Amino acid sequence: MSKWTSEAEARNQIKDLVKDYYEAFKKPEQEKEFKPGDRLSYASRVYDEKEMCSLVDAALDFWLTTGRFSDEFEKKFAEWIGVKFANLVNSGSSANLIAFMALTAPELGERQIKKGDEIITVACGFPTTVTPAIQYGAIPVFVDVTVPQYNIDVTKLEEAYSPKTKAVMIAHTLGNPFDLKSVREFCDRHNLWLVEDNCDALGTQYTIDGETRFTGTWGDIGTSSFYPPHHMTMGEGGCVYTNDPLLNRLIKSFRDWGRDCVCPSGMDNLCGHRFDGQYGELPQGYDHKYVYSHFGYNLKVTDMQAAVGVEQLKKFPSFIEARRHNWDRLRKALEDVQDKLILPEPAEGSRPSWFGFLLSVREESGLDRNKVTRYIEDHNIQTRLLFSGNLIKHPCFDQIRGTDAYRVVGDLETTDFVMTHTFWVGVYPGMTDEKIDYMAQIIKEAVNQ
């Protein structure tokens, strides 16, 4: 005989045990006193018993795939960021894939991206912003960046444009937004799609002509990542969001196997016309649940991941403020080594939600970036380079280098500078003032040794 009188009672008891487990074993880990020399990661998860209880709650449902927690997150995330539609996927990379693939749909008419069309982007960034275009057969057009913003050089946009250009797809770098006003105006002038890779900038605000919005909502489509180092986490996970109903339908189709039907998993015939349509060359009345209007994928998130995200989203505003505090404190602490290091600057009109703190070794300093980062790493502080540095220098380009599979505007001189002189350290919400101060001390030692 069960010792519980109801399922609700059983769930509550299980979640009470999870809380006790967190208090006994996980909370001490997170609140451990910092001592100089302890490992300082560039990023980490920040959570408490609420995420663990929500995760267990979803596991007890044993629905496993997209379900009630996913629905709740999509609704609340869309409300928070300020869009009509948000769709969860299994990673930020998948979010970029879906965002791009949606723009290849024939429903978009003359604006449909086809093989051989051009997409303006940058080589100084993360590869999965560019990979979908290359794999599809579109032509990425690489434009240089500027320092100390580390974002696209908007003075090169007109030079990058051609009659084949269909879209601009670029990321906001480590929380610092690119010049959205100039890029948005350029896209409007030439009737181009704008995809904001917002994976490293969730929570950043940007103002154009007196109107302030979150980054990711100024373009036609925005994307986010919920990988553990990012602004909030689901473990793995991502999101694609838009205000356009047609784009939203296309995003859902490409995410959900490419099917034409929009019924959620586990639900059938919401439209009442499941067996009376005519599609392609299929027989009349073919089951609409199995009609495929696009070459799609299954990139849905699990409900366990979404359950973690639901609780993370509640904490997210405090995460943003902590990142800003840590970034400001570190920048102030490093002001006296500006003769050796280029310190980052926020974009005009922005209030960034910082992902990391970018530093470039000045060429005239005579310092070697790798020696500087090795000293910092030797003191147990994680560093990272600005992702690919210059993507077209990587082995993945070996077989297409020098072909017409991509195009470069100018010489990417600043991109190459970033590749050889730039690195970054973390400012995630788990950083305390003591950790930030110690990190600043070691960075100063590294450039003054």
Side-chain angles (χ1 to χ4, degrees):
M1 177 181 284
S2 171
K3 63 180 179 179
W4 297 301
T5 59
S6 68
E7 182 184 0
E9 181 187 347
R11 279 185 184 251
N12 287 335
Q13 186 174 342
I14 290 167
K15 287 191 281 187
D16 284 342
L17 288 170
V18 171
K19 292 177 187 176
D20 292 343
Y21 177 87
Y22 171 82
E23 292 289 336
F25 301 107
K26 294 298 183 181
K27 188 175 182 179
E29 271 181 30
Q30 300 209 87
E31 296 184 349
K32 181 182 175 183
E33 183 181 354
F34 173 72
K35 296 183 180 64
D38 287 349
R39 182 66 166 162
L40 281 183
S41 301
Y42 80 96
S44 187
R45 306 158 299 169
V46 176
Y47 66 98
D48 59 25
E49 79 283 355
K50 295 181 179 65
E51 282 87 347
M52 296 181 72
C53 288
S54 189
L55 176 60
V56 170
D57 202 15
L60 292 173
D61 285 348
F62 212 68
W63 179 250
L64 303 183
T65 186
T66 295
R68 66 181 177 101
F69 286 99
S70 304
D71 293 342
E72 180 181 354
F73 182 89
E74 288 176 342
K75 180 178 182 295
K76 290 183 176 176
F77 181 84
E79 290 172 353
W80 178 81
I81 202 168
V83 294
K84 294 178 182 176
F85 311 106
N87 295 280
L88 278 172
V89 292
N90 59 5
S91 73
S93 297
S94 293
N96 283 339
L97 174 63
I98 294 299
F100 178 82
M101 292 306 296
L103 301 180
T104 70
E107 290 92 328
L108 299 177
E110 291 182 356
R111 298 191 71 190
Q112 175 192 8
I113 295 176
K114 298 179 180 178
K115 290 178 173 60
D117 284 339
E118 294 184 346
I119 315 299
I120 295 174
T121 189
V122 297
C124 182
F126 203 77
T128 56
T129 311
V130 178
T131 301
I134 292 176
Q135 291 186 332
Y136 176 75
I139 311 298
V141 178
F142 294 111
V143 176
D144 210 354
V145 296
T146 62
V147 172
Q149 279 77 32
Y150 302 91
N151 280 305
I152 189 168
D153 183 350
V154 295
T155 67
K156 306 290 185 183
L157 284 171
E158 290 296 342
E159 185 181 351
Y161 178 78
S162 84
K164 293 182 178 181
T165 307
K166 286 288 184 68
V168 175
M169 185 167 177
I170 42 179
H172 302 291
T173 302
L174 295 197
N176 205 15
F178 56 79
D179 183 346
L180 268 163
K181 179 176 171 61
S182 296
V183 173
R184 181 72 268 177
E185 288 173 352
F186 170 76
C187 289
D188 290 344
R189 188 160 59 249
H190 295 290
N191 196 30
L192 306 177
W193 299 110
L194 173 57
V195 179
E196 291 179 72
D197 180 337
N198 199 37
C199 291
D200 292 344
L202 187 61
T204 289
Q205 293 171 301
Y206 193 92
T207 301
I208 298 178
D209 298 333
E211 181 181 0
T212 300
R213 298 188 207 169
F214 286 116
T215 54
T217 68
W218 284 102
D220 299 285
I221 302 177
T223 63
S224 285
S225 171
F226 305 127
Y227 190 62
H230 283 267
H231 288 71
M232 55 166 283
T233 187
M234 295 181 180
E236 299 285 354
C239 197
V240 191
Y241 33 100
T242 184
N243 282 307
D244 187 306
L246 174 57
L247 290 179
N248 180 57
R249 183 182 175 90
L250 294 171
I251 288 163
K252 286 184 184 296
S253 177
F254 279 99
R255 181 195 67 177
D256 299 356
W257 303 281
R259 67 182 184 175
D260 199 73
C261 173
V262 294
C263 288
S265 295
M267 302 187 73
D268 298 335
N269 206 23
L270 291 179
C271 67
H273 298 282
R274 181 178 171 189
F275 299 109
D276 59 15
Q278 175 66 60
Y279 306 99
E281 297 184 0
L282 292 167
Q284 173 73 28
Y286 196 84
D287 187 350
H288 191 217
K289 194 84 173 176
Y290 291 95
V291 172
Y292 301 96
S293 50
H294 307 103
F295 292 107
Y297 315 88
N298 176 11
L299 298 177
K300 297 192 303 299
V301 74
T302 69
D303 228 30
M304 290 83 75
Q305 292 166 268
V308 174
V310 165
E311 293 301 326
Q312 285 272 291
L313 190 57
K314 296 173 185 176
K315 296 181 173 69
F316 191 52
S318 67
F319 289 173
I320 296 171
E321 292 309 313
R323 287 177 176 276
R324 287 172 177 157
H325 169 82
N326 292 339
W327 191 93
D328 289 344
R329 188 178 184 92
L330 184 56
R331 197 184 189 289
K332 185 173 183 180
L334 294 176
E335 284 180 351
D336 57 353
V337 289
Q338 290 191 78
D339 59 327
K340 297 182 174 69
L341 295 173
I342 300 173
L343 302 187
E345 297 283 351
E348 184 179 351
S350 74
R351 190 163 183 244
S353 172
W354 297 104
F355 184 48
F357 192 93
L358 274 160
L359 293 158
S360 290
V361 174
R362 292 187 183 274
E363 288 182 298
E364 63 272 20
S365 72
L367 292 169
D368 179 275
R369 190 267 313 274
N370 291 349
K371 289 181 180 178
V372 170
T373 55
R374 192 174 300 121
Y375 184 92
I376 296 167
E377 293 273 356
D378 286 346
H379 286 76
N380 229 6
I381 297 170
Q382 267 190 329
T383 64
R384 288 291 184 266
L385 303 186
L386 187 47
F387 307 129
S388 65
N390 184 343
L391 183 58
I392 64 176
K393 305 275 190 179
H394 284 254
C396 57
F397 270 73
D398 285 352
Q399 291 190 315
I400 62 172
R401 191 173 289 111
T403 72
D404 59 3
Y406 64 97
R407 188 159 66 83
V408 176
V409 177
D411 56 12
L412 303 187
E413 180 180 358
T414 306
T415 297
D416 285 338
F417 170 84
V418 170
M419 179 178 62
T420 55
H421 289 75
T422 301
F423 69 98
W424 60 279
V425 293
V427 291
Y428 76 98
M431 289 277 191
T432 62
D433 287 353
E434 292 78 16
K435 293 177 181 179
I436 293 291
D437 294 345
Y438 176 71
M439 189 159 56
Q441 173 194 327
I442 297 303
I443 292 170
K444 288 193 277 190
E445 289 179 10
V447 298
N448 288 326
Q449 61 178 310

